[in-house]
Structure formats: structure tokens, C-alpha cells
Amino acid sequence: MTNALEQLLREITSQPALENDFYRRWMSESIRIEELEIFARNYGAWVKSFPDALATLIAATDDLDAKGEYVKTLYSEMGYGNPRKAHSVLLDDFFKELARKLGEGGRLNRDRLERDVELLSSTRELIEGERELYGDAQMSFGAQLALEWQAYTMLRKLYDGARNYLPLWSNPDEFHEACEYFYTHIGAAEKDHKEESLNAVRRYARDEESLARIVEGYHRHLKLISDFWQGLYRAVTELAAKSSAATGEA
Ligand SMILES: [Fe+2]
């Protein structure tokens, strides 16, 4: 029954959610502080909203084993109970350090970005759409499967791009300390979550109909994620075009 899903998962890395212009740009060069603001504002909002989406998923799931798997994922997202290690906080710490190294201390702080930088509509759609999918007793299994299976590649690519800034740190050890957000994901966490989400699906895909709903949730979530990266790429590219036009005029 789950063969169709396993086939989808094998092909996930070539999906536009995982292979897109934003990642290409992010990995190929260091982007400027104005562009980083858009990235940090939007990606930061998604990361911060994720535990709440997981809570919806847990509430919508009847199956006790699946519920337990999702609880483990949520617990790890929240830093195993240590608020300073919650993933959104680790991400904030990275941006805080990066801004400081760029000589722009405070500029990528979450409070400031939430106040001054508008959220893109594609980000809002991802956050709301994700929560909606996670609230659906069947589609949620596929939606969570998509999220967890794209996450390792996403974090690996974001980390690869973050390394473009490594020369800003005079002490490379401190760069790695600032990268804790990435390391917790490309270490054990995401590998475990992949298995946990697949275990949940294996138990749940009992007939053709439930499998079809799971696959639908999977595709819908990937589409939201793909649109999110595309929206981010467009916003960052438009900003770069605007500022080079302004420099040209001056
Ligand atoms: Fe995370």
C-alpha cells in the first residue's frame, strides 16, 4: 500500500520545493543585508509557527502511535524543554551573530524584523495552509511526511549557503558555534523525524482512499513550500534590481 509513497519520497529531491532558484542563489553567493532581512523575516516566521502547526497535527491525530511520534518531533522542535534551544531561538541566534559580523548589529533581530519588514503573501499562505493541512485527519499524514522528508535537504542547503559567510568570523570555531540551528537538523534530528513520519503513514494508509488523501496532503504541502521559496526568491531579486537601478541613477 505504501509503495506509491515510497516512490514519491525517492523522487522528492528533484521537486521544486527542494531544487529552486532561492537555494541556488543562497548557495552560490552571500546576499546583502537588505536581502537577508527578507529571508530572515519570512523563513523565521515559518520556523516559529511550526510548533503550533505540529500541535494542530497532534490534536487532529487519533492514532496513539502516530500521536506519540509527532509529540517526539514537537518536543525536539521546542529544544527538549529548554526554551533557549527551541529551534526558532537557535535560528534567531544565527541571524543575530551574522548581522553583528556584517557590522549591522541588531538588524536581523526578530522583534525588529516583525515590526519593520512585511511578511510575503506566499509565507502567510504557507503558514496558514500548513496548519490547515495538519488539521485534516487524513491529509495531515502526507503533509507531515513531505515536511520531514524535505527538511534534511532544506537544512543542508541552507547550511551550505551560510558557509559563504564563514570568512566574516576571525575565529572559525565561533562560526560553528553560531550554526547550532543547522547542526541540530543535519545531525540526528531530521533523520529520526523522517522515520517517525513514515512509521505513522505506514500504519495509516489502510486502503486506496486513505492513501489518496495522504498523497494529496503530501503534494499540497510541497507546493506551499515551493511557492514559499519562489516568493522569497522573487522578493529578493526585485530588491536587488531596485537597488542597482538606484545606484545607476545616482
Ligand atoms: Fe526544526
Side-chain angles (χ1 to χ4, degrees):
M1 186 60 69
T2 51
N3 284 355
L5 271 175
E6 282 162 28
Q7 180 61 26
L8 282 177
L9 293 173
R10 269 195 292 278
E11 292 160 7
I12 196 169
T13 50
S14 54
Q15 289 281 323
L18 287 85
E19 184 63 61
N20 59 58
D21 288 329
F22 184 83
Y23 286 157
R24 271 188 283 277
R25 170 98 200 275
W26 173 250
M27 288 190 292
S28 67
E29 59 182 333
S30 31
I31 61 176
R32 293 173 309 120
I33 186 76
E34 294 80 6
E35 300 167 82
L36 283 168
E37 283 180 334
I38 301 179
F39 174 40
R41 171 69 177 103
N42 286 279
Y43 183 66
W46 181 27
V47 168
K48 192 177 167 194
S49 76
F50 186 57
D52 299 339
L54 276 175
T56 308
L57 177 67
I58 293 164
T61 306
D62 219 21
D63 180 281
L64 258 191
D65 294 314
K67 228 186 199 3
E69 302 285 3
Y70 298 149
V71 167
K72 280 193 260 173
T73 305
L74 177 57
Y75 188 47
S76 115
E77 271 302 310
M78 295 304 293
Y80 300 105
N82 180 351
R84 286 195 322 271
K85 300 286 179 180
H87 292 183
S88 64
V89 173
L90 295 179
L91 179 67
D92 290 350
D93 291 345
F94 170 73
F95 282 128
K96 214 178 286 169
E97 273 305 294
L98 178 59
R100 220 161 56 84
K101 294 294 170 184
L102 286 164
E104 299 277 1
R107 196 146 162 195
L108 298 177
N109 282 7
R110 183 179 287 274
D111 320 354
R112 196 195 81 75
L113 294 175
E114 283 179 352
R115 208 174 45 238
D116 298 345
V117 180
E118 217 190 320
L119 209 56
L120 296 169
S121 58
S122 43
T123 304
R124 215 178 292 279
E125 281 157 21
L126 170 58
I127 292 172
E128 286 165 11
E130 184 170 81
R131 201 178 300 198
E132 220 172 277
L133 286 172
Y134 279 11
D136 180 296
Q138 288 175 306
M139 281 197 292
S140 60
F141 287 101
Q144 174 64 354
L145 194 65
L147 189 281
E148 294 299 355
W149 282 70
Q150 65 83 46
Y152 192 87
T153 306
M154 171 174 79
L155 270 304
R156 193 267 298 163
K157 290 189 176 195
L158 293 180
Y159 172 66
D160 282 349
R163 289 185 61 92
N164 289 326
Y165 296 93
L166 173 82
L168 294 174
W169 271 259
S170 54
N171 178 352
D173 286 356
E174 287 173 11
F175 170 78
H176 294 286
E177 274 171 39
C179 282
E180 189 173 342
Y181 171 74
F182 303 105
Y183 296 136
T184 98
H185 290 96
I186 53 188
E190 294 305 342
K191 278 197 278 185
D192 292 349
H193 295 176
K194 273 176 155 178
E195 280 314 309
E196 284 159 13
S197 59
L198 191 57
N199 288 344
V201 168
R202 282 199 185 107
R203 273 191 306 277
Y204 201 78
R206 285 187 288 258
D207 51 40
E208 287 299 329
E209 201 184 317
S210 59
L211 183 64
R213 293 285 286 167
I214 290 172
V215 170
E216 187 184 346
Y218 173 89
H219 286 301
R220 280 172 60 168
H221 204 183
L222 278 188
K223 173 83 169 71
L224 287 167
I225 295 170
S226 160
D227 290 349
F228 165 80
W229 291 116
Q230 206 186 333
L232 202 51
Y233 178 72
R234 205 176 304 129
V236 163
T237 312
E238 274 165 20
L239 186 78
K242 235 184 269 170
S243 72
S244 70
T247 334
E249 278 157 24

